[in-house]
Amino acid sequence: GENVEQHPSTLSVQEGDSAVIKCTYSDSASNYFPWYKQELGKRPQLIIDIRSNVGEKKDQRIAVTLNKTAKHFSLHITETQPEDSAVYFCAASVIQGAQKLVFGQGTRLTINP
Amino acid sequence: NAGVTQTPKFQVLKTGQSMTLQCAQDMNHEYMSWYRQDPGMGLRLIHYSVGAGITDQGEVPNGYNVSRSTTEDFPLRLLSAAPSQTSVYFCASKTRTSGTSYEQYFGPGTRLTVT
């Protein structure tokens, strides 16, 4: 089955700097890669996703890149703000059907003012 | 729309007790899933359903049962609670309709402690 590894487990950056979180996956059949943000005590919320037919996707200060050959994908947050502090999870699945997400272990991002 | 709702928010059980975690969605989504989240870990899929009357096992199904009698509801039953089932449980739903959004919508979670 699918296995998703996520690094780093914790990340601390200065406000205004960029943050990068990386994930690798094992199953070449996976074709959908969402990123979720989870604040303390809250539900996971989708912040950006990418399909395997696209190499990069941007939404304002966040972007995701995908390298299918190497089976890895990354989240990039630019101009970080204090409200970006949260735990971020990557996931992988087949987009068709019930979308059985396999999650990475999470990255706790702290933005220092 | 209320989206995905879960009850209760918190629950404490003794080992061996049984209970049902409730999940409902009002978005007419065909797909529904249950995940558990343990400290320091990502979410893991317990069971999922692709429509009323159809359920299947996920990554960690042991000790849990599900049923899907209606499109809206997808309860998760713990048959005989064990301390290893202490976790936060999230229900999620997704539309079958493909298009520009493939998002799974998560409920607020149920924090379960088994003593």
Side-chain angles (χ1 to χ4, degrees), chain B residues 14-66:
Chain B
K14 294 188 187 305
T15 298
Q17 288 184 318
S18 63
M19 79 159 293
T20 300
L21 280 62
Q22 301 292 344
C23 174
Q25 51 91 11
D26 61 358
M27 297 175 282
N28 204 31
H29 285 172
E30 295 85 357
Y31 301 138
M32 295 186 74
S33 302
W34 276 102
Y35 293 85
R36 62 177 286 174
Q37 184 176 30
D38 301 318
M41 295 181 65
L43 285 73
R44 291 183 292 167
L45 182 65
I46 305 170
H47 285 286
Y48 65 96
S49 169
V50 299
I54 307 170
T55 64
D56 205 346
Q57 295 181 351
E59 184 184 352
V60 288
N62 293 342
Y64 307 95
N65 272 359
V66 291

Side-chain angles (χ1 to χ4, degrees), chain B residues 70-113:
Chain B
T70 67
T71 299
E72 294 79 18
D73 300 298
F74 190 41
L76 178 73
R77 279 184 290 278
L78 279 70
L79 310 172
S80 177
S84 60
Q85 294 178 305
T86 294
S87 190
V88 180
Y89 292 84
F90 289 99
C91 179
S93 74
K94 172 184 170 288
T95 182
R96 177 188 296 162
T97 305
S98 62
T100 58
S101 174
Y102 301 93
E103 181 173 358
Q104 282 201 37
Y105 294 86
F106 283 85
T110 294
R111 185 175 296 273
L112 176 69
T113 302

Side-chain angles (χ1 to χ4, degrees), chain A residues 4-9 21-23 35 88-90 104-107:
Chain A
V4 176
E5 297 287 336
Q6 182 173 348
H7 299 281
S9 57
I21 302 170
K22 300 183 179 183
C23 289
W35 285 88
Y88 291 80
F89 292 96
C90 62
Q105 298 88 336
T107 296

